[in-house]
Every structure is written in structure tokens, then in C-alpha cells.
């Protein structure tokens, strides 16, 4: 029973984090686009929308368990991309706090990799996926 509860709580945490990220993007899409533009990416508004939609997809996968391992792996790639793009070494000299943000993304990656390997558990999980 403890294992099941831990897995469900972890899934809720993953879903909650990405739900908050998506909600902030939808609530301030232009602000998100400005942040993306400041990092030097082209088509910032399009990228902001794509990121928000992707995060909603991750939320659905974490909540339902469908394509869970695939979603966890994609989320891991996404999180590390964000670490380098928005908190990478070029940001550390001006603000040491950025290094902490950068490192935090790797702890998140560790959890996502663990989740990808072990799956969504047996309870409240649609058993659909490609891997």
C-alpha cells in the first residue's frame, strides 16, 4: 500500500509542476514569449504556445498513466533543455542563483528517469505506451 501511495503522490507532483508551468504560460503568454525571446530563440510566441500545450500533454500522461514512460523521458529532455537554455553556464557569472536553478533541473531529471523506468504503478494507470 505504501508503494502505491508513493507512486500516486509522485505522479501528482509531476502533474502539478507541469500544470502550474502551463497555467503560468497561458496566463501570461506574452511574458513567456518575452522570456523566450530574451534567451535568443526565434518565434518566441509560437514556442511559448507549443511549450504550454506540451506541458498540458505531460500533465495528462502523468495523471492517467497513459504513455507514462514516454512522457517522463520527454519531460526529462525538456527539463534539461530548459536548464541549459535559461539557466546554463552563460547565466552563472551574472547571478550565482542561476547555478542553483541549473542544478535543480538535474534532480528533477533524476526523478523523471526513475519514473520512466518504473512506470505509473498498478493503480489508476492506463497501461498504454510504446515502450
Amino acid at each position: 500500500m505504501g508503494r502505491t501511495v508513493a507512486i500516486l503522490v509522485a505522479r501528482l507532483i509531476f502533474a502539478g509542476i507541469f500544470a502550474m508551468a502551463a497555467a503560468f504560460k497561458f496566463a501570461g503568454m506574452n511574458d513567456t514569449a518575452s522570456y523566450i525571446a530574451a534567451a535568443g530563440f526565434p518565434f518566441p510566441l509560437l514556442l511559448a504556445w507549443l511549450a504550454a500545450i506540451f506541458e498540458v500533454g505531460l500533465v495528462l500522461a502523468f495523471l492517467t498513466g497513459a504513455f507514462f514512460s514516454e512522457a517522463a523521458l520527454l519531460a526529462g529532455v525538456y527539463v534539461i533543455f530548459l536548464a541549459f537554455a535559461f539557466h546554463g553556464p552563460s547565466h552563472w557569472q551574472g547571478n550565482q542563483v542561476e547555478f542553483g536553478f541549473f542544478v535543480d533541473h538535474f534532480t528533477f531529471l533524476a526523478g523523471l528517469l526513475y519514473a520512466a523506468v518504473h512506470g505509473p504503478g498498478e493503480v489508476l494507470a492506463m497501461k498504454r505506451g510504446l515502450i
Side-chain angles (χ1 to χ4, degrees):
M1 182 64 152
R3 175 183 160 96
T4 299
V5 170
I7 291 169
L8 290 174
V9 168
R11 286 173 52 193
L12 286 173
I13 290 170
F14 286 143
I17 289 168
F18 286 109
M20 285 189 299
F24 286 131
K25 284 176 182 66
F26 286 124
M29 195 58 72
N30 289 327
D31 293 334
T32 301
S34 294
Y35 191 63
I36 292 169
F41 290 99
F43 313 109
L45 189 57
L46 173 64
L47 291 175
W49 276 101
L50 291 174
I53 292 166
F54 176 69
E55 289 166 351
V56 169
L58 293 175
V59 169
L60 293 173
F62 290 132
L63 289 178
T64 66
F67 301 98
F68 181 87
S69 292
E70 294 87 350
L73 289 173
L74 288 172
V77 170
Y78 180 64
V79 164
I80 295 308
F81 164 75
L82 295 175
F84 280 98
F86 297 100
H87 306 290
S90 65
H91 296 87
W92 300 345
Q93 195 169 25
N95 184 356
Q96 287 296 309
V97 174
E98 290 292 337
F99 178 74
F101 293 146
F102 179 77
V103 171
D104 285 346
H105 284 72
F106 285 87
T107 58
F108 194 19
L109 172 64
L112 289 165
L113 290 174
Y114 192 87
V117 169
H118 292 282
E122 300 298 321
V123 176
L124 299 174
M126 297 173 70
K127 297 294 184 178
R128 297 184 186 217
L130 300 173
I131 56 175

